[in-house]
Amino acid sequence: MSFFTKLRDRLTRSSSKIGAGLDDIVAEGADDAPAEPAPPVAQPAVPVPVQPMPAPVQQPPAPAEAAPRPGMMGRLFGRAGSDEPRRELDDAMLEELEDMLVQADMGVETALRVTANIAEGRLGRRVSSTELKELLAGEIARIMAPVAKPLPIYPKRPQVVLVVGVNGSGKTTTIGKLASQFKAAGKNVVVAAGDTFRAAAVEQLQVWGKRAGVPVMTAPEGSDPASLAYDAMVRAEAEGADLLMIDTAGRLQNRQDLMEELAKIVRVIRKKDPSAPHNTLLVLDATTGQNALSQVETFQKLADVSGLVMTKLDGTARGGVLVALADRFGLPIHAIGVGEQIDDLDAFDAREFARALVGLAD
Ligand SMILES: Nc1nc2c(ncn2[C@@H]2O[C@H](COP(=O)(O)OP(=O)(O)OP(=O)(O)O)[C@@H](O)[C@H]2O)c(=O)[nH]1
């Protein structure tokens, strides 16, 4: 099964909220007028960064003959969607759309902007649910495209990747999955079990290490994680490892002591290599919804977060939060997780994600 199919099936299973919501919005206000050719759906070949758009201006419906000749996609949609119910895109519909996006955890600001962009030049037109999904997917992909960046690999050896996040966000699982993928790509990977407080966490990482076929460095329970991180750097360097991934204990945002300990890990790592850590990955659990935004803020203050991984997109109707994160922080999204298996993590693809989120086929 391709990752897109998996993403769509699992996102749709849990977060069909947006797709179903769009169907409902159109069906609710659908009129009985005969079908008219579908308005062309903007499909930029190359996603462009989102520009702040002016507020939508009420425009009279474009006369059918004045409409530009639809492109390939427009013609396809015109045919395929001609017998679908249509609803006039007006203020009431836009308001419903905005509410639905907010409920899908996209955040008020982002939902407003996306809705305004959809309205731009289209007010008064009659759109089908499929067209609305295409428009929404296009807007989401435009927001997400600039942040869809796989974990960068540098010539520096070892490249130190520090993995942080709150308890249970999926750090250990993500390290296991990433280590397996980098190993398969021919990289020499070492993993350090920096959560020295919980024996179970160390064991769990060892299980992942075995699965991925990479060594896992551990330290006695209760020992200083910063000193383990230092030892791991010495070993990774001695072994000529390409990548050293350091797991850390999950920390609640309000636990000052744990937060300080993370800062100490970074200080100690820098004694060995002032340019390390080369990446600080913040792992976020999609099921936490809007709380993910405050987690980013908190961890950014404490560690130099360089990128995000979002897990558990399979278990939530709150996938929209990823759009809000991209819009608000612009931090690279390196990967997304849609399950507990080793191959349930893949690089983040803006278009695939956008289409899966609104329930469209590839
Ligand atoms: N459904 C689903 N479950 C996931 C995903 N990623 C991780 N999990 C599960 O989430 C739970 C917590 O994952 P861990 O990797 O242990 O999280 P952690 O951040 O290391 O946890 P702490 O060590 O407690 O801080 C485990 O049961 C994982 O199997 C995902 O993408 N989808």
Side-chain angles (χ1 to χ4, degrees), residues 14 23-24 39 45 80 82 141 148 188 205 236 240 281 293 317 319 347:
S14 56
D23 290 340
D24 290 348
S82 59
N188 182 350
L205 196 59
L281 294 192
L293 296 161

Side-chain angles (χ1 to χ4, degrees), residues 167-173 195 198 204 250 312 314 337-340:
N167 297 74
S169 58
K171 296 179 292 298
T172 307
T173 312
D195 185 356
R198 283 199 314 122
Q204 194 198 352
K312 308 188 198 180
D314 51 311
V338 294
E340 296 183 86

Side-chain angles (χ1 to χ4, degrees), residues 154-170:
Y154 306 115
K156 176 79 194 166
R157 275 194 191 173
Q159 176 174 336
V160 181
V161 181
L162 188 66
V163 181
V164 302
V166 303
N167 297 74
S169 58

Side-chain angles (χ1 to χ4, degrees), residues 10 12 38 78 101 117 121 123 128 150 161 242 245 277 302 320 355 360:
R10 295 184 186 173
T12 311
L101 295 179
N117 286 358
L123 279 178
S128 70
V161 181
D242 299 301
M245 303 184 76
L302 195 87
R355 296 184 74 78
L360 278 173

Side-chain angles (χ1 to χ4, degrees), residues 53-58 91 94 112 115-117 119-121 123:
M53 290 288 189
V57 181
Q58 184 84 36
D91 287 343
L94 288 170
L112 259 168
T115 312
N117 286 358
E120 167 101 1
L123 279 178

